[in-house]
Amino acid sequence: MKVKFFVLCIIAYINLANTATVDPEIVNKNVDRTIDISSQLVKINYKITLEHKQGKSISNYVFVLPDKERQHLSFISVKDTTKKELKTSESKSPQGSEFIFSFTASPNPVVYIETVYTKFLEPYPAEITQAEKQLVRYYGNAYFYSPYKTTTQKTSIHLSSRNVESFTQVKPSSQSDTTITYGAYDNVAEFANEPIVVHYENHSPFMTVTRLERWIEVSHWGNIAIEETLEIVHSGAKLKGSFSRYDYQKDTRGSQPSVKSYKTILPASATGVYYRDMNGNISTSAMRILKDSVELDLRPRFPLFGGWKTQYTLGYNVPSFEYLFQNGDNYMLKMRLIDHVYDDMVVDEIVTKIVLPEGSTNIKLITPYSVTRLPDTLHYTYLDTFGRPVISFTKKNLVENHINDFNLKYTFPKVMLLQEPLLVVGFLYAIFLVVIIWMRLDFSIIKEREQHAHKE
């Protein structure tokens, strides 16, 4: 009981220390907020200029997200005046989730914050026919939600179309082409909240990868094989009624809520690319080899409408010398944790499995962000004796900003490279030895009959 009480006291002290970091003398001198809702993602960028009422230097800041926004948050990045990436620590408060970060002390620092949200836009209506337009709703706040007072602020909302059904009017506010502007607003109080709703047309692909299984098999004989199995669903407004292929081909609209095809980007050294589903190879895909990448134009067997699903497997090979680094018996594998599946992608869950050569030990995984490590297993293929180690981990709610490299360090004795050749040589030697012995043995009974006849 004493230990539990002590732990609770420490947690309470930490929470109190976190909430105490909000200095009431700090104000947001100017806030420029840009909200991009032109795709299925909601991307919000902040440029915040800070000021201390007493003219003192500022070295830390607290950025707060309401609980509703935090549920949809996929990615957050904070940079200082020099665009240097800053580390953040998150804690809970009655007002929402607090992201606390520190930077070099300055009297008027500028902070850049980038956030990306998934499944934040609501299709409205939720069901449409094949010929109808897809309309969505964005729910937000006309003011910058902050624990500090804001001297002046301005918000720009970028849409995918100029066709706007309606948007909440908070004077001053206006619309110009595909941009809605709120503000400028002066002397905004802490945690100010003025709900806004933007109802507009959005025909960008609303696709969600519900599950992505990524299989990476490392060979020290010069090749790394990658295979991905994807399950995709169209997460936009669901199709109401039946589908007509004839009407679909006659539709001359420049943009439609359905998805005909999309582009996947692979490494420039990718070879032996294959694209298939449960029915076999899909021949409607096209591949372009560029200077710095391989571009795949993937076209499913049928267009995807709201609520429709598809599943396929994509595989390729890359040379190991580009991704595998060696220092004696120590190796490091450096590869992307996830590839570019399509523009403005949303991945609900990825499960990555890395198969190392048999005999690998002292395995250490380093990821660019937090992941959930799964139990290690063994994988058996030809000429394996005690199995190849498989390192597995998973991550949920990913976007393009999560495309980054992981490092996997391990030890592999060079003598283990001789294991498979020696097994082959030993196997062939054993066969030859058995054949030689077999040929030298005589199991016939002809000679015995000849001896009996000679005695008679």
Side-chain angles (χ1 to χ4, degrees):
M1 292 296 294
K2 292 183 178 180
V3 175
K4 291 183 178 180
F5 179 76
F6 181 71
V7 172
L8 291 175
C9 289
I10 293 178
I11 295 174
Y13 176 77
I14 293 174
N15 292 334
L16 182 61
N18 288 337
T19 56
T21 55
V22 178
D23 187 349
E25 297 296 316
I26 297 177
V27 296
N28 301 313
K29 183 179 179 180
N30 184 56
V31 176
D32 287 328
R33 185 173 56 152
T34 303
I35 303 176
D36 184 353
I37 53 176
S38 60
S39 65
Q40 66 172 337
L41 300 175
V42 175
K43 306 174 184 177
I44 305 181
N45 293 316
Y46 305 83
K47 180 184 177 182
I48 308 171
T49 304
L50 305 177
E51 184 181 45
H52 198 283
K53 294 180 180 179
Q54 306 298 329
K56 298 180 180 179
S57 295
I58 304 173
S59 60
N60 57 71
Y61 188 77
V62 179
F63 177 71
V64 179
L65 286 179
D67 292 334
K68 183 179 178 180
E69 294 186 15
R70 181 63 183 90
Q71 294 174 2
H72 298 275
L73 180 68
S74 173
F75 175 82
I76 182 170
S77 172
V78 180
K79 298 181 180 179
D80 61 8
T81 307
T82 61
K83 298 298 182 71
K84 177 184 176 183
E85 193 81 22
L86 302 177
K87 293 183 179 180
T88 62
S89 61
E90 184 179 359
S91 63
K92 293 291 295 181
S93 71
Q95 289 75 26
S97 296
E98 296 183 345
F99 293 87
I100 307 168
F101 51 90
S102 301
F103 44 84
T104 305
S106 174
N108 293 105
V110 179
V111 177
Y112 299 89
I113 302 176
E114 177 186 6
T115 56
V116 181
Y117 303 87
T118 60
K119 300 181 180 180
F120 203 93
L121 300 177
E122 175 192 18
Y124 189 82
E127 295 182 355
I128 58 175
T129 62
Q130 183 176 332
E132 287 181 322
K133 300 177 180 179
Q134 178 173 266
L135 302 176
V136 299
R137 280 179 170 178
Y138 165 72
Y139 296 89
N141 186 358
Y143 300 133
F144 173 47
Y145 192 77
S146 174
Y148 308 96
K149 293 182 180 179
T150 302
T151 304
T152 180
Q153 69 171 57
K154 186 178 181 180
T155 301
S156 299
I157 302 178
H158 298 283
L159 313 175
S160 58
S161 169
R162 66 179 65 184
N163 299 328
V164 178
E165 295 291 310
S166 63
F167 69 94
T168 305
Q169 302 281 346
V170 181
K171 296 183 179 180
S173 58
S174 62
Q175 178 188 359
S176 176
D177 198 25
T178 60
T179 303
I180 298 176
T181 304
Y182 284 93
Y185 301 121
D186 298 329
N187 300 321
V188 180
E190 305 94 325
F191 298 113
N193 186 24
E194 184 63 41
I196 60 172
V197 180
V198 181
H199 191 199
Y200 66 103
E201 180 182 330
N202 189 342
H203 281 173
S204 60
F206 273 62
M207 291 196 306
T208 301
V209 180
T210 55
R211 182 176 175 85
L212 191 160
E213 293 186 6
R214 184 170 167 87
W215 179 271
I216 302 174
E217 190 165 347
V218 181
S219 172
H220 282 198
W221 294 97
N223 184 71
I224 299 177
I226 296 103
E227 184 176 271
E228 297 179 345
T229 302
L230 299 94
E231 299 175 5
I232 296 180
V233 62
H234 190 302
S235 51
K238 294 184 178 181
L239 179 64
K240 181 173 60 176
S242 60
F243 167 71
S244 171
R245 173 70 69 173
Y246 176 75
D247 293 339
Y248 183 77
Q249 293 177 345
K250 285 180 57 179
D251 196 340
T252 58
R253 289 181 294 174
S255 58
Q256 301 179 17
S258 62
V259 178
K260 295 181 180 179
S261 63
Y262 51 90
K263 293 181 180 180
T264 292
I265 307 299
L266 302 181
S269 57
T271 58
V273 181
Y274 58 89
Y275 169 48
R276 61 173 181 256
D277 60 8
M278 297 179 65
N279 297 325
N281 184 57
I282 304 176
S283 59
T284 53
S285 60
M287 184 173 71
R288 294 177 56 196
I289 301 177
L290 307 178
K291 290 183 179 180
D292 56 350
S293 63
V294 173
E295 184 179 274
L296 285 180
D297 185 14
L298 301 183
R299 186 180 295 269
R301 296 184 185 273
F302 49 86
L304 295 178
F305 283 86
W308 290 18
K309 300 178 181 180
T310 185
Q311 180 179 0
Y312 64 89
T313 298
L314 176 66
Y316 58 93
N317 298 288
V318 293
S320 59
F321 71 86
E322 292 190 1
Y323 303 94
L324 193 60
F325 304 92
Q326 175 190 6
N327 183 13
D329 289 342
N330 297 319
Y331 291 83
M332 184 182 75
L333 177 67
K334 185 176 183 180
M335 296 192 71
R336 285 182 176 178
L337 194 146
I338 186 173
D339 278 332
H340 179 281
V341 183
Y342 52 85
D343 293 338
D344 297 315
M345 67 182 189
V346 176
V347 180
D348 283 348
E349 181 184 20
I350 180 175
V351 178
T352 301
K353 297 183 179 181
I354 308 165
V355 184
L356 297 178
E358 191 175 40
S360 301
T361 56
N362 301 326
I363 302 171
K364 182 180 180 182
L365 176 65
I366 303 173
T367 57
Y369 36 80
S370 62
V371 298
T372 302
R373 182 78 177 266
L374 302 178
D376 296 345
T377 56
L378 294 176
H379 177 67
Y380 294 89
T381 58
Y382 56 90
L383 299 178
D384 287 339
T385 55
F386 48 88
R388 304 183 183 187
V390 180
I391 311 304
S392 306
F393 58 87
T394 182
K395 174 74 175 176
K396 295 184 178 181
N397 196 15
L398 296 94
V399 292
E400 283 185 81
N401 305 77
H402 289 101
I403 299 178
N404 215 326
D405 294 335
F406 69 85
N407 295 333
L408 184 62
K409 298 180 180 180
Y410 62 95
T411 302
F412 181 78
K414 294 180 181 179
V415 69
M416 290 296 295
L417 287 172
L418 301 176
Q419 177 182 346
E420 293 183 0
L422 289 176
L423 285 174
V424 174
V425 171
F427 179 72
L428 295 176
Y429 179 79
I431 291 178
F432 292 148
L433 185 62
V434 170
V435 171
I436 291 173
I437 296 174
W438 179 271
M439 295 298 294
R440 288 184 176 275
L441 295 177
D442 189 2
F443 299 98
S444 64
I445 58 176
I446 298 176
K447 292 182 178 182
E448 295 181 0
R449 290 181 179 177
E450 290 178 352
Q451 291 176 1
H452 287 298
H454 180 70
K455 290 180 179 180
E456 292 176 356

